[in-house]
Amino acid sequence: MDHAADALRTDLMTITRYVLNEQSKHPESRGDFTILLSHIVLGCKFVCSSVNKAGLAKLIGLAGETNVQGEEQKKLDVLSNDVFVKALVSSGRTCILVSEEDEEATFVEPALRGRYCVVFDPLDGSSNIDCGVSIGTIFGVYMVKDFTEPTLDQALQPGKNMVAAGYCMYGSSCTLVLSTGSGVNGFTLDPSLGEFILTHPDIKIPKKGKIYSVNEGNAKNWDGPTAKYVENCKFPKEGSSPKSLRYIGSMVADVHRTLLYGGIFLYPADKKSPSGKLRVLYEVFPMSFLMEQAGGQAFTGKERALDLLPKKIHERSPIFLGSYDDVEEIKALYAAEAKN
Ligand code: FBP
């Protein structure tokens, strides 16, 4: 590593510069998305700094409230939700917000309304917050035709209608991964500059991986195809090597590793949770959008995840996402079962 050359590296591709370049490819664009994204980036920087100092600033532990999912909210859940809602509303570019932490959708007051609907999980991986394991923020962006009179069905669009999606991982470094529909790019926060710098250009997931990621603690409640798939990962046919199990328990961290290394992340349905655990709008859709943009696949056990038409804002769905060939295997097992 040539630190001297690095210190003299003056041609910095920041996330704002990157999105402005993308915007210049669309002469009709008015810069609304660039302004919206700069407010999402501000929220990520705030949450990153709060997570880093959580132990020192007494931000560890419960907030004493329960969210719509029936989960006890962590202090950082509430703080993150607050900063994102305020940043998104003050951008003047949104009309509907759907957050994991808010029971109802937020309809932005008319004076501040703009053309985008943003769905987001302000802090994903709550079970890992207090032990300092990687967590993250997940977001998806829809365009709303008539944003002067926004209605809930404009938030309940299929994932394939998203115009952008991303996540920000708060781990050993803070990494923001973004797609605006033409590939996937990763940006790392340079704390000395306070800027997200392009470090992972044009991410492509390997066609096949050596890792599977699932909470095996639910194995006894799995359906046939899921159980068979995981068994094949551990006891592959003659001549193939078993896959390695990696499970952090934060979707952002498990999906980030899957995107870079390849393999498959799955949160299937089971007898206990017949619709799975992960929420369609602000977990399944954004991660499926990124996976497809990187050359992977995302499948619900029945259909392409991005074709789902959600009926409720906190709806859940099973999800299998990752390397193209790995997801093909699980699709084949479900297709075989459907034939029987
Ligand atoms: P929240 O923490 O935002 O509720 O997200 C759900 C989540 O923590 C995902 O990040 C993760 O993939 C999954 O739940 C872990 O679930 P489990 O503990 O059942 O394996």
Side-chain angles (χ1 to χ4, degrees):
M1 181 72 169
D2 182 344
H3 293 297
D6 211 38
L8 297 174
R9 183 165 56 86
T10 54
D11 182 17
L12 299 173
M13 181 54 78
T14 65
I15 192 167
T16 310
R17 180 178 162 198
Y18 177 83
V19 172
L20 282 171
N21 287 357
E22 288 298 298
Q23 180 191 304
S24 62
K25 295 175 188 162
H26 308 276
E28 78 290 355
S29 165
R30 303 175 317 170
D32 288 338
F33 181 75
T34 307
I35 293 168
L36 173 68
L37 184 77
S38 64
H39 286 74
I40 292 173
V41 164
L42 173 65
C44 294
K45 289 178 183 174
F46 179 92
V47 175
C48 180
S49 121
S50 304
V51 167
N52 288 345
K53 65 183 178 205
L56 304 165
K58 300 202 174 4
L59 288 171
I60 297 283
L62 297 174
E65 310 282 327
T66 300
N67 68 13
V68 62
Q69 335 278 347
E71 296 159 348
E72 289 189 287
Q73 288 181 307
K74 299 284 177 70
K75 290 179 186 166
L76 279 169
D77 281 328
V78 176
L79 188 68
S80 310
N81 191 49
D82 206 28
V83 76
F84 276 107
V85 169
K86 288 188 174 120
L88 292 167
V89 169
S90 64
S91 73
R93 296 302 180 280
T94 63
C95 55
I96 312 172
L97 305 179
V98 172
S99 165
E100 183 202 27
E101 298 303 333
D102 294 329
E103 180 146 8
E104 305 300 332
T106 302
F107 289 90
V108 177
E109 62 186 88
L112 285 171
R113 268 182 203 154
R115 61 211 310 221
Y116 294 112
C117 164
V118 179
V119 294
F120 62 103
D121 181 351
L123 204 52
D124 173 72
S126 308
S127 59
N128 282 323
I129 291 177
D130 294 354
C131 61
V133 169
S134 301
I135 50 182
T137 295
I138 309 173
F139 61 91
V141 180
Y142 289 105
M143 189 81 86
V144 172
K145 291 202 184 57
D146 175 9
F147 62 87
T148 55
E149 296 302 328
T151 56
L152 196 58
D153 65 345
Q154 283 157 339
L156 296 172
Q157 300 183 46
K160 60 188 170 202
N161 292 4
M162 280 187 168
V163 293
Y167 60 78
C168 189
M169 184 177 73
Y170 312 113
S172 50
S173 63
C174 179
T175 308
L176 199 159
V177 171
L178 174 73
S179 178
T180 55
S182 48
V184 180
N185 293 280
F187 303 81
T188 302
L189 182 63
D190 180 334
S192 64
L193 295 175
E195 283 286 354
F196 280 100
I197 308 292
L198 181 62
T199 49
H200 300 72
D202 196 21
I203 297 172
K204 288 283 177 254
I205 185 171
K207 198 155 179 308
K208 190 166 180 49
K210 299 187 175 77
I211 293 172
Y212 72 103
S213 183
V214 64
N215 181 344
E216 292 220 32
N218 299 327
K220 74 176 173 45
N221 296 317
W222 284 341
D223 60 19
T226 297
K228 184 72 187 139
Y229 179 77
V230 171
E231 190 195 323
N232 292 347
C233 289
K234 291 190 230 184
F235 309 102
K237 55 185 182 301
E238 208 47 48
S240 312
S241 325
K243 286 185 188 306
S244 299
L245 171 63
R246 294 282 182 277
Y247 191 69
I248 297 165
S250 295
M251 187 187 195
V252 168
D254 282 314
V255 169
H256 186 64
R257 183 202 55 250
T258 304
L259 202 54
L260 298 186
Y261 293 177
I264 188 167
F265 167 83
L266 51 157
Y267 207 108
D270 61 41
K271 296 192 190 74
K272 250 186 357 170
S273 343
S275 307
K277 175 181 182 176
L278 301 174
R279 281 50 60 117
V280 171
L281 271 183
Y282 43 80
E283 290 173 325
V284 169
F285 278 169
M287 295 308 202
S288 301
F289 185 93
L290 290 165
M291 214 36 88
E292 287 200 4
Q293 285 288 320
Q297 286 196 72
F299 175 62
T300 67
K302 292 195 181 72
E303 62 186 306
R304 174 193 177 218
L306 291 177
D307 290 340
L308 268 175
L309 183 58
K311 298 177 192 51
K312 294 180 284 142
I313 59 172
H314 298 296
E315 191 170 306
R316 300 171 191 263
S317 170
I319 185 68
F320 305 84
L321 54 79
S323 294
Y324 196 91
D325 292 357
D326 294 314
V327 178
E328 273 304 293
E329 273 181 50
I330 198 112
K331 286 168 73 174
L333 289 167
Y334 274 99
E337 187 196 61
K339 271 213 201 84
N340 297 347

